[in-house]
């Protein structure tokens, strides 16, 4: 092993080539190139094959990272793909959009100064290669079980559960109110982070494996959860969280003060070739405008970088804490800065100015006080420090809450948490309704694709156990 691995002392960390910022802001294509085989092998060889791999511990899917790095270093890519895909339904997607600096790579133990192994880029390389070479196969069960599962929500949680359950032999029906499969991977996350054909080929793979999608079906309106319970042997709710948090300041109702997801969805739809009247009328188009984005999370980063690509005159990001205390990935902030975004740290809006449409944002400076119960330092206003930023488009990216789940579930007795998310029994992943399970953001609150995949896989396992227990109670108890 020593020959091929442990090269972090002699081989420097390299990410795949990143397009120059002046070039990449001209389009919505992904910003990183793919590794060459030599580069992937070389970068994988930097891994020191830890006995207790902290990278794996901190990956929500507990991917067997050291093994697939070793196989990649040895040029055994098909085996690397087998191992990588055994724990992850979308490794090439996670390789692109996981905040690796907070997960696997952030916990790589290679000594300080040598920089972590570029795990995400190798993961993406392995599975993109697998797609090119035809190794990625649709789910194909050994036998049909004659039972069906209804899944509400075709985001990563619903897709991962669909694939896992189909592999076991269930008939799968996925219902979604959107017209495309992928959830936030298709309409939330911009193309420059995750190209849409990468998501679409995953959707096609599920179709090829026999999964049926019922699109443009709004559960809670067009079809009730009770009808789904009657149709299927079990139901999984994976509807995500979509209610935008708002800011309560004067002028919030002015024209051109918009929600982040409306803005990003319009941009993604445009890229997919749809007619988008709200974009064509200019309301959701940043071209030529002074844009102010409010928020410091990954959604805010996606908005500022989209605005730059649309040809905004200026793009500013207003965030009430400082750089160190922002929730967004530092890697994304760096990309945004390279692309010309200006960050206004420690500032919060006091009012949106204008007659009918916004013309400016009045803001106030903040400082960070003592840590609160959560350990985060609470931002406090600095009296008399008001200032005004010009703005023709203001985008609110303040996070998401669940929609009214009593309405979606069509039952007032559905158990919810204090945050309005679905309450589940964490051992069974079942809600308080028999045979109705839940997974992804609608359980966790706004989270990450990799956690949605993990939850979807776990829910599939629990659903299988539940159905087995119903069919053969004694057998299930013994297993
Ligand atoms: P979703 O992806 O939200 O899918 C839920 C699906 O349910 C949707 O298709 C929706 O149409 C459908 N649905 C909802 N209600 C109904 C109903 N009543 N009837 C029928 N269908 C319904 N995560 C990362 O890991 N990396 C990133 O870089 C990243 N960037 C992000 C950028 C943005 C702008 C946003 C908003 C999120 C980002 N995330 C990112 C978070 C990530 O997208 C989510 O955590 C993940 O998609 C959650 O998966 P899910 O399957 O639970 O829900
Ligand atoms: Fe890292 Fe995400 Fe891949 Fe896990 S799934 S190894 S956290 S990039
Ligand atoms: Fe390799 Fe880093 Fe993981 Fe250790 S923590 S196994 S060095 S990738």
């Amino acid at each position: 092993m020593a020959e091929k691995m442990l090269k972090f002392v002699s081989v420097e960390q390299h990410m795949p080539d990143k397009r120059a910022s002046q070039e990449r802001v001209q389009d919505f294509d992904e910003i990183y190139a793919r590794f060459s085989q030599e580069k992937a092998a070389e970068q994988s060889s930097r891994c020191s094959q830890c006995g207790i791999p902290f990278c794996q511990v901190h990956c929500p899917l507990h991917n067997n990272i050291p093994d697939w790095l070793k196989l990649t270093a040895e040029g055994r890519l098909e085996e690397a793909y087998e191992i990588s895909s055994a724990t992850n339904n979308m490794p090439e997607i996670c390789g692109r959009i996981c905040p690796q600096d907070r997960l696997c790579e952030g916990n790589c133990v290679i000594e300080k100064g040598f920089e972590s192994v570029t795990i995400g880029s190798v993961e993406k390389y392995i599975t993109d290669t697998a797609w090119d070479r035809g190794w990625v196969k649709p789910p194909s069960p050994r036998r049909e079980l004659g039972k069906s599962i209804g899944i509400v929500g075709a985001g990563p949680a619903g897709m991962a559960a669909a694939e896992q359950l189909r592999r076991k032999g269930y008939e799968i029906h996925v219902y979604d109110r959107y017209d495309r499969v992928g959830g936030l991977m298709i309409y939330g996350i911009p193309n420059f982070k995750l190209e849409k054909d990468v998501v679409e080929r995953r959707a096609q793979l599920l179709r090829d494996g026999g999964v049926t999608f019922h699109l443009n079906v709004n559960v809670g309106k067009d079809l009730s959860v009770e009808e789904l319970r009657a149709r299927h042997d079990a139901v999984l709710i994976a509807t995500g969280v979509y209610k935008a948090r708002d800011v309560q300041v004067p002028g919030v109702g002015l024209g051109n003060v918009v929600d982040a997801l409306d803005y990003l969805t319009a941009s993604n739809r445009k890229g997919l070739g749809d007619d988008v009247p709200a974009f064509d009328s200019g309301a959701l188009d940043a071209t030529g405008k002074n844009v102010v984005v409010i928020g410091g999370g990954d959604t805010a980063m996606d908005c500022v970088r989209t605005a730059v690509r649309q040809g905004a005159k200026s793009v500013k990001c207003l965030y009430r804490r400082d750089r160190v205390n922002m929730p967004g990935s530092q890697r994304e902030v760096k990309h945004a800065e390279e692309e010309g975004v200006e960050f206004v740290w420690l500032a919060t809006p006091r009012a949106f100015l204008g007659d009918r449409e916004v013309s400016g944002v009045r803001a106030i400076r903040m400082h960070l006080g003592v840590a609160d119960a959560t350990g985060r330092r609470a931002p406090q206003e600095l009296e008399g420090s008001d200032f005004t930023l010009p703005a023709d488009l203001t985008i609110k990216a303040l996070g998401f809450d669940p929609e009214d789940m009593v309405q979606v579930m069509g039952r007032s007795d559905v158990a919810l948490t204090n945050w309005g998310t679905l309450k589940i029994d964490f051992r069974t992943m079942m809600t308080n309704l028999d045979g109705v399970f839940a997974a992804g953001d609608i359980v966790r609150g706004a989270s990450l694709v990799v956690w949605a995949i993990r939850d979807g896989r776990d829910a599939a396992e629990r659903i299988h156990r539940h159905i087995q227990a119903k069919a053969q109670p004694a057998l299930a108890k013994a297993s």
Side-chain angles (χ1 to χ4, degrees):
M1 178 186 81
E3 258 172 50
K4 286 259 184 254
M5 306 303 288
L6 295 154
K7 296 214 177 126
F8 64 90
V9 182
S10 54
V11 176
E12 277 183 23
Q13 184 202 53
H14 280 291
M15 290 292 285
D17 291 341
K18 183 160 82 164
R19 292 197 292 146
S21 54
Q22 309 90 301
E23 182 204 322
R24 63 188 198 239
V25 297
Q26 306 297 323
D27 59 48
F28 281 78
D29 295 346
E30 286 181 9
I31 69 169
Y32 284 108
R34 195 196 292 183
F35 272 143
S36 64
Q37 178 154 358
E38 295 70 41
K39 220 41 185 174
E42 176 205 89
Q43 288 298 303
S44 299
S45 74
R46 298 180 67 244
C47 169
S48 65
Q49 298 285 286
C50 304
I52 300 173
F54 283 101
C55 55
Q56 180 169 3
V57 173
H58 289 271
C59 164
L61 293 160
H62 301 313
N63 285 339
N64 196 341
I65 299 164
D67 279 11
W68 46 253
L69 287 173
K70 181 165 180 284
L71 289 164
T72 305
E74 292 169 356
R76 293 157 63 186
L77 282 181
E78 193 164 2
E79 290 161 85
Y81 166 69
E82 288 303 325
I83 291 184
S84 153
S85 61
T87 49
N88 190 350
N89 299 74
M90 308 170 203
E92 75 286 18
I93 293 182
C94 293
R96 282 170 166 84
I97 59 161
C98 270
Q100 286 102 11
D101 47 352
R102 303 203 299 257
L103 300 171
C104 52
E105 293 179 19
N107 289 282
C108 172
V109 297
I110 283 185
E111 284 163 53
K112 285 267 168 280
F114 289 112
E115 310 291 351
S116 64
V117 178
T118 53
I119 299 168
S121 303
V122 174
E123 188 179 27
K124 169 181 168 228
Y125 169 76
I126 294 168
T127 310
D128 279 345
T129 307
W131 277 100
D132 292 349
R133 303 204 186 159
W135 302 334
V136 184
K137 297 278 189 265
S140 98
R142 255 174 293 165
R143 66 188 176 103
E144 299 292 339
L145 297 176
K147 304 260 181 211
S148 83
I149 315 293
I151 298 177
V152 188
M159 289 173 78
E163 182 167 5
Q164 294 303 103
L165 287 162
R166 183 69 198 120
R167 284 189 196 287
K168 291 186 191 294
Y170 290 97
E171 182 185 316
I172 306 296
H173 293 264
V174 184
Y175 303 83
D176 201 292
R177 63 184 176 190
Y178 279 153
D179 53 349
R180 289 188 174 89
V181 174
L184 288 173
M185 297 191 297
I186 203 96
Y187 286 137
I189 300 173
N191 204 70
F192 53 81
K193 275 165 62 182
L194 175 60
E195 287 177 1
K196 298 307 156 202
D197 54 356
V198 174
V199 182
E200 282 171 339
R201 69 185 176 189
R202 280 280 163 200
Q204 190 53 45
L205 194 80
L206 294 179
R207 286 193 180 95
D208 293 345
V211 172
T212 307
F213 288 99
H214 305 265
L215 300 178
N216 300 306
V217 177
N218 193 337
V219 171
K221 285 194 179 136
D222 307 327
L223 186 67
S224 72
V225 171
E226 289 311 305
E227 281 170 275
L228 291 176
R229 288 176 90 186
R231 265 186 213 180
H232 301 292
D233 295 282
V235 174
L236 174 66
I237 309 290
T239 49
V241 288
Y242 282 85
K243 196 168 95 189
R245 286 192 193 136
D246 218 339
V247 51
Q248 299 303 331
V249 296
V252 72
L254 286 171
N256 289 355
V257 177
V258 303
D259 287 333
L261 201 53
D262 292 343
Y263 173 69
L264 293 172
T265 304
S267 173
N268 275 320
R269 278 196 181 279
K270 222 39 216 170
L272 285 157
D274 293 356
D275 268 345
V276 189
F279 183 91
D280 298 334
S281 70
L284 294 174
D285 181 1
T287 310
K289 292 180 180 160
N290 291 308
V291 178
V292 175
V293 175
I294 319 261
D298 288 334
T299 302
M301 297 309 108
D302 290 347
C303 290
V304 288
R305 298 180 67 204
T306 297
V308 167
R309 282 163 175 76
Q310 287 175 347
K313 196 163 152 195
S314 72
V315 183
K316 294 192 171 58
C317 180
L318 206 66
Y319 181 54
R320 65 198 179 123
R321 290 189 161 91
D322 57 9
R323 186 186 194 117
V324 184
N325 288 287
M326 70 182 293
S329 156
Q330 291 300 322
R331 205 179 268 180
E332 294 299 305
V333 178
K334 190 159 171 271
H335 291 152
E337 281 179 332
E338 289 166 359
E339 291 166 9
V341 173
E342 189 187 321
F343 284 85
V344 186
W345 305 112
L346 290 162
T348 195
R350 280 208 135 174
F352 298 116
L353 312 174
D355 293 331
R356 286 166 49 164
E357 292 185 343
V358 71
S359 59
V361 178
R362 197 165 69 237
I364 185 163
R365 304 256 172 228
M366 313 288 281
H367 75 101
L368 294 178
V370 288
D372 62 15
T374 64
R376 288 187 87 190
R377 292 169 67 194
Q380 288 161 357
E381 292 185 358
L382 277 174
E383 234 12 85
S385 64
D386 288 40
F387 62 101
T388 300
L389 297 172
D392 317 300
L393 176 65
T394 303
I395 304 170
K396 297 172 290 176
L398 299 157
F400 301 95
D401 287 317
E403 290 168 37
D404 178 357
M405 289 313 286
V406 166
Q407 187 271 320
V408 174
M409 303 298 286
R411 293 180 60 135
S412 56
D413 61 345
V414 62
L416 303 179
T417 65
N418 292 341
W419 297 272
T421 47
L422 284 178
K423 196 171 192 168
I424 57 170
D425 174 333
F426 280 97
R427 284 162 310 169
T428 62
M429 294 187 77
M430 194 152 75
T431 64
N432 64 327
L433 308 178
D434 185 48
V436 180
F437 297 75
D441 279 4
I442 194 53
V443 174
R444 290 182 179 272
S447 179
L448 293 172
V449 165
V450 65
W451 278 113
I453 296 171
R454 163 76 191 268
D455 290 351
R457 293 173 68 90
D458 286 351
E461 224 24 78
R462 305 304 199 287
I463 289 170
H464 179 53
R465 263 187 238 166
H466 170 80
I467 290 181
Q468 276 184 318
K470 283 214 149 164
Q472 292 164 296
L475 199 85
K477 229 177 188 173
S479 70

